[in-house]
Amino acid sequence: MKLPLSWLSDYTDISGVTPKEYDARLTMSGSKVEEVFYLGAEIENVVTGKVLSVIDHPDSDHLKICQLDVGQGEPVQIVTGAPNVTPDSVGEVCPVALHKSTLPGGVKITRDKLRGEVSNGMMCSFQELGLTHGCVPYACENGILFLPAGTPVGEDIKKVLGLDEYVADFEITSNRPDCLSVIGLARETAATFDRPFAVKSPLVKGVGDDINKHMSVEVKDPDLCPRYTARLVRNIKIEPSPAWMRERLHASGVRPINNIVDITNYVMLEYGQPMHAFDYSCLSDGKIVVRRARNGESIQTLDGQDHDLTDKMLAICDNDKPVAVAGVMGGANSEIEDDTKTVVFESACFHGATVRVTAKALGMRTEASGRFEKGLDPRMTLDAVNRACELVEQLGAGEVIDGIIDVDNSDPNPKRLPFEPDKMNGLLGLSLSDAEQQAYLEKLGFTVESGEVIVPSFRTDIARMCDLAEEVARMYGYDKIPTTLYAGEMVQGEYTPRQQAERAAALVCREAGFDEAMSHSFISPKFYDMIGWAEDDPRRISTTILNPLGEDFSVMRTTVLPSMLESLAHNHAHRNPTASLYELGTIYTPSIKDGKADPDVLPHEEKVLTLGSYGRLSFFQLKGVIEALCRELNIKGVQFVPEKANPSYHPGRCANVLIGGEQVGVFGTVHPTVADRYGLSGEVLAAELRMDALFASIDPSKLYHPLPKFPASTRDIAVLVDDAIPAASMQAAIEKAAGTILESVKLFDVYKGKGIPEGKKSVAYSLSMRAPDRTLTDEECDKAMKNALAALEKSFGAVLRS
């Protein structure tokens, strides 16, 4: 909303307030000012000049040499080629851009020679001054702007054309439609600067007669039109508006057209109430019917476009046809023409949501619809139509017939809220007295009586106590509200147990040298081919996105592995010699119905910790990272079982991770074929661990073990076994057979090669034994070792290696 600051003088006094101060104070009081700009800022050193003589240029058949009086004593010579400058132009006054002047758009004018004759500037057209023809209707369309008789000579053109004006550009929020008006902003200005504020009631003299003899209004859908007000004006004279109105409209960003159109636009800016004017002769039987449009009806609007209407749209009709789309735009079939003699002024309140839906459906966004859709005050329609008629009489644009048609179905009762000063103080952290709060509210048009606040009808956004508190706060001054601690009990936020577990897992990964990666939750179905999943693999069934960005982002992933391999491939392609990444990503497992994802059931979401690495770790080192993760989370009973059927991993270097017999993940070397598809070379490792399963396996109790008082006894054992026997199974057998004195078992060597029979391997363990209450004897340790070796021989056919 653009507001010429001089317009405020009609309602309040801002004398002594600088544009900069106005900007700052209004913004601080809740009416955000985007900027305050000077309308004629780009025009410098342009004055009015009187034509003294016009002669032909000796070396041109179209140029003229003019002498002009610009109020500087000596005449100024200017050469022009404008077609409307002739010897008959002597005595005319026009804008003159002198030497070293500027025009809108950054155009600079300096002294120059044209065909050998000196030109000390330029005579200007209205276009060169940034004006439209509506601003200066007396101007020639293609020539120099000759100003009205009596225009003083040597005057700054900005003052002459009303460009000597500061304009505030407000950002009006959707909850404050009352501020989409000069009156609304004047009210805010008066309250901010503590100045008086007054709006005069429009005074319409009338010429007798009775509007009810000529027309009638029927509102068939009062829910969509709470109030409809109309007045009738006869003997219309279509002509340009006076300069003061044109200048105000131009400064507000509205193009002047003619007196009748300008009056409706002027009232819309002044009151915030959109208005429309119909040609009375175009209304069948002089009747206006406000109703829902009928399916199949159509209308050509004022912009020349044809629109099909539906029964969800509100239309202004006569007995036969729609003549306007309510709240959006009038129809061409009732447009004001040059020969129009009688006009109906409409001022109505329409249902905001209906106007918005209609405007969007028709692809029409207008000043009127933008205001109506925010919800206007029904009480405003009467004053607005009377103001329009008052202007008609002031401008001599017609004769106003007595009487008003006012169909009012709005609620006449004002909104009332309890006046609760203590609660408002508590909410704001202030200690204002009841009288101070009341004074602030009354500045803004509220009244307080009998313990209640009566909300003015134009404040449609006020609904509860906190809204009133905000009004008090902004009038008191947001910058003056002290900083205080919250009065209630302070509650310190903390992480949930699941969040703590996720953070602990991420910390272990980072400490092991992994960097965090993040990827999209939606992938391409082709990614499942990349990781080797069969066509009939049930894990391929995914939730499909209804409006995907493209095929590469069309389904919700059921595994994070393709995304991890993509990240590794990106690093490898950029010649990073090593990369170790982890991602706590979400997978989406759909509910299956008839072999497809059920679109009516949301997929199950689960977080998966996915690790990926190349060029840095071995298979067993990755296994150690998983073991460290489980130790940190206090998860016991972890087992690693070989897995040969997973198509994404090498069949001889893959293991499932089990806890209590339940699979919680998988890790191993990525299958060479899969790695090759991603352009990865060498050994590529990956792991996938379900966080829900890990979290469910966490032992909440942690036992403290004091530092041992007695020394440990360490023995090594190396055995030959078949190559296919898992080392982890052998370790479990040792732990079970060695007894309670066994403190730990560590695998420290697996050897195959020279001296080892084909199909066999040498596996060596280090056993640490300790008793909490004594030093172990050799006999006790030897016995434990014999029991362990016997268990290996019995279960795995192990032979002690000599």
Side-chain angles (χ1 to χ4, degrees):
M1 171 81 183
K2 291 182 172 63
L3 172 68
L5 296 187
S6 63
W7 201 341
L8 291 173
S9 61
D10 290 358
Y11 315 101
T12 188
D13 175 25
I14 59 167
S15 58
V17 178
T18 65
K20 184 176 182 180
E21 182 184 3
Y22 186 84
D23 182 338
R25 293 282 297 276
L26 263 293
T27 298
M28 186 56 68
S29 67
S31 302
K32 184 180 179 184
V33 181
E34 288 289 325
E35 63 172 333
V36 177
F37 61 91
Y38 187 55
L39 198 59
E42 292 185 301
I43 301 175
E44 289 295 336
N45 203 22
V46 181
V47 300
T48 56
K50 184 177 182 179
V51 180
L52 299 177
S53 66
V54 178
I55 62 173
D56 292 333
H57 193 291
D59 293 328
S60 173
D61 57 358
H62 72 282
L63 294 178
K64 301 288 190 295
I65 301 174
C66 305
Q67 300 294 327
L68 294 103
D69 176 10
V70 294
Q72 297 180 359
E74 293 294 324
V76 172
Q77 177 174 299
I78 292 180
V79 179
T80 181
N84 66 330
V85 177
T86 68
D88 294 336
S89 303
V90 173
E92 295 282 1
V93 178
C94 67
V96 179
L98 300 174
H99 176 53
K100 294 185 178 180
S101 60
T102 59
L103 296 174
V107 177
K108 296 185 182 299
I109 305 299
T110 58
R111 183 184 296 114
D112 202 356
K113 280 189 177 183
L114 296 177
R115 300 280 182 96
E117 295 292 334
V118 174
S119 182
N120 294 290
M122 183 178 74
M123 300 162 71
C124 301
S125 66
F126 67 84
Q127 296 97 332
E128 289 163 332
L129 295 172
L131 302 176
T132 65
H133 191 258
C135 297
V136 281
Y138 48 80
C140 174
E141 285 277 7
N142 298 299
I144 300 303
L145 169 61
F146 289 133
L147 300 166
T151 302
V153 174
E155 194 77 38
D156 189 332
I157 196 65
K158 291 180 286 190
K159 183 177 180 181
V160 173
L161 296 178
L163 301 176
D164 186 22
E165 173 74 87
Y166 282 97
V167 179
D169 190 359
F170 286 87
E171 179 186 322
I172 306 299
T173 54
S174 59
N175 67 317
R176 292 300 304 275
D178 60 299
C179 287
L180 285 169
S181 66
V182 177
I183 291 176
L185 291 173
R187 183 184 295 109
E188 292 291 316
T189 300
T192 300
F193 291 97
D194 199 17
R195 305 285 177 91
F197 168 76
V199 179
K200 295 178 181 178
S201 297
L203 178 61
V204 182
K205 297 176 181 177
V207 293
D209 206 347
D210 183 2
I211 188 175
N212 294 292
K213 295 179 181 179
H214 303 278
M215 64 173 293
S216 62
V217 174
E218 180 184 4
V219 178
K220 289 189 174 182
D221 293 286
D223 57 323
L224 302 184
C225 179
R227 192 170 189 179
Y228 192 98
T229 309
R231 293 203 73 161
L232 197 61
V233 180
R234 69 188 183 195
N235 296 329
I236 288 293
K237 300 174 185 176
I238 306 294
E239 56 188 9
S241 301
W244 65 266
M245 179 175 284
R246 297 196 308 267
E247 290 168 4
R248 283 187 172 181
L249 291 175
H250 174 67
S252 300
V254 176
R255 181 171 59 92
I257 298 174
N258 61 52
N259 52 357
I260 300 302
V261 175
D262 291 352
I263 284 172
T264 59
N265 286 333
Y266 188 91
V267 173
M268 179 181 70
L269 293 173
E270 188 174 38
Y271 282 78
Q273 171 65 49
M275 293 190 62
H276 186 62
F278 299 100
D279 187 334
Y280 173 78
S281 65
C282 298
L283 299 177
S284 174
D285 296 330
K287 186 171 185 178
I288 289 179
V289 181
V290 184
R291 61 170 173 81
R292 284 178 168 86
R294 302 186 183 102
N295 290 324
E297 283 187 317
S298 63
I299 186 174
Q300 185 180 79
T301 48
L302 291 173
D303 58 1
Q305 301 296 314
D306 294 321
H307 299 282
D308 294 325
L309 306 179
T310 70
D311 58 5
K312 298 185 183 300
M313 303 174 181
L314 189 67
I316 310 300
C317 311
D318 59 13
N319 271 333
D320 305 321
K321 61 189 179 299
V323 294
V325 181
V328 182
M329 187 178 287
N333 56 10
S334 60
E335 182 179 5
I336 304 297
E337 303 285 358
D338 290 342
D339 59 351
T340 297
K341 296 302 179 184
T342 305
V343 165
V344 178
F345 279 113
E346 166 197 278
S347 177
C349 182
F350 301 117
H351 185 246
T354 301
V355 172
R356 178 171 176 80
V357 170
T358 300
K360 186 175 181 181
L362 298 179
M364 302 171 68
R365 177 78 174 183
T366 63
E367 283 285 340
S369 67
R371 283 171 162 78
F372 276 120
E373 67 187 28
K374 293 174 175 62
L376 298 183
D377 174 17
R379 307 269 74 76
M380 193 164 50
T381 63
L382 185 58
D383 283 346
V385 76
N386 284 335
R387 175 59 169 157
C389 292
E390 180 183 46
L391 289 170
V392 167
E393 293 182 340
Q394 288 180 8
L395 273 54
E399 300 172 348
V400 181
I401 292 176
D402 287 353
I404 303 171
I405 295 179
D406 187 16
V407 182
D408 188 0
N409 294 299
S410 63
D411 184 0
N413 300 311
K415 186 183 297 181
R416 294 173 178 267
L417 295 174
F419 181 45
E420 302 171 300
D422 291 339
K423 284 188 177 181
M424 288 196 282
N425 276 332
L427 180 63
L428 300 174
L430 298 174
S431 55
L432 299 175
S433 66
D434 296 6
E436 287 175 309
Q437 293 190 28
Q438 181 174 337
Y440 286 136
L441 292 172
E442 288 175 347
K443 277 186 179 184
L444 296 168
F446 297 83
T447 55
V448 180
E449 56 183 45
S450 303
E452 289 186 318
V453 178
I454 301 174
V455 180
S457 59
F458 56 81
R459 291 304 302 273
T460 56
D461 59 312
I462 303 298
R464 51 187 69 85
M465 182 274 291
C466 58
D467 297 326
L468 295 175
E470 182 182 6
E471 299 301 297
V472 171
R474 67 189 186 92
M475 286 297 102
Y476 175 77
Y478 291 127
D479 55 331
K480 296 191 294 184
I481 296 177
T483 301
T484 56
L485 290 175
Y486 180 63
E489 180 182 353
M490 297 297 290
V491 179
Q492 184 175 355
E494 59 182 26
Y495 293 108
T496 65
R498 186 178 294 272
Q499 289 173 327
Q500 292 174 358
E502 291 176 0
R503 288 170 63 84
L507 180 61
V508 170
C509 293
R510 290 194 296 272
E511 290 177 341
F514 287 77
D515 295 311
E516 185 172 13
M518 300 181 72
S519 59
H520 292 297
S521 294
F522 28 87
I523 61 174
S524 168
K526 296 179 180 178
F527 281 20
Y528 299 139
D529 297 328
M530 296 283 286
I531 60 173
W533 285 4
E535 288 291 336
D536 58 351
D537 194 319
R539 293 174 296 177
R540 279 180 171 266
I541 302 175
S542 308
T543 301
T544 303
I545 300 173
L546 294 178
N547 55 341
L549 298 175
E551 185 183 3
D552 288 346
F553 305 96
S554 59
V555 299
M556 304 302 291
R557 65 188 179 190
T558 61
T559 173
V560 185
L561 183 60
S563 303
M564 176 56 67
L565 294 177
E566 283 277 339
S567 298
L568 293 177
H570 179 79
N571 279 271
H572 189 271
H574 286 75
R575 300 189 177 184
N576 287 336
T578 66
S580 294
L581 304 174
Y582 79 93
E583 178 176 358
L584 266 169
T586 304
I587 62 171
Y588 303 83
T589 306
S591 176
I592 309 300
K593 182 179 181 181
D594 299 329
K596 297 181 180 179
D598 189 346
D600 298 324
V601 180
L602 291 175
H604 173 68
E605 298 184 25
E606 181 181 5
K607 281 193 175 180
V608 174
L609 175 61
T610 305
L611 307 175
S613 179
Y614 70 82
R616 180 172 163 265
L617 301 177
S618 68
F619 174 87
F620 291 105
Q621 287 173 321
L622 180 61
K623 174 174 175 282
V625 172
I626 297 174
E627 290 174 329
L629 171 67
C630 293
R631 282 197 304 273
E632 179 63 27
L633 296 179
N634 203 29
I635 297 174
K636 301 179 177 64
V638 181
Q639 295 177 292
F640 301 95
V641 178
E643 170 60 53
K644 298 181 180 297
N646 193 317
S648 303
Y649 293 89
H650 191 296
R653 288 180 170 271
C654 177
N656 289 326
V657 183
L658 276 64
I659 300 176
E662 178 188 355
Q663 182 179 344
V664 299
V666 62
F667 79 97
T669 300
V670 174
H671 198 289
T673 303
V674 173
D676 186 61
R677 291 184 185 128
Y678 284 94
L680 294 166
S681 58
E683 185 177 28
V684 182
L685 299 166
E688 302 168 74
L689 302 170
R690 293 165 39 224
M691 285 303 299
D692 284 354
L694 292 179
F695 181 75
S697 303
I698 294 174
D699 186 350
S701 60
K702 294 185 178 181
L703 299 178
Y704 166 73
H705 295 280
L707 293 175
K709 296 180 180 180
F710 300 94
S713 179
T714 303
R715 302 287 179 90
D716 295 339
I717 184 173
V719 294
L720 288 174
V721 293
D722 291 340
D723 191 22
I725 295 175
S729 300
M730 298 171 62
Q731 181 172 324
I734 293 172
E735 290 172 348
K736 184 177 180 180
T740 58
I741 65 171
L742 181 65
E743 186 176 56
S744 65
V745 180
K746 292 183 180 179
L747 173 70
F748 69 88
D749 182 55
V750 177
Y751 173 70
K752 292 186 291 183
K754 186 177 179 180
I756 304 298
E758 186 71 23
K760 298 287 185 176
K761 63 181 176 181
S762 170
V763 183
Y765 296 93
S766 175
L767 284 69
S768 176
M769 292 167 282
R770 191 196 309 265
D773 55 350
R774 67 188 187 282
T775 299
L776 293 175
T777 63
D778 287 341
E779 290 78 10
E780 290 176 301
C781 294
D782 291 341
K783 182 179 179 182
M785 291 293 291
K786 290 179 182 178
N787 292 338
L789 181 59
L792 293 176
E793 290 175 351
K794 181 179 179 181
S795 300
F796 306 107
V799 177
L800 184 65
R801 185 181 174 192
S802 57

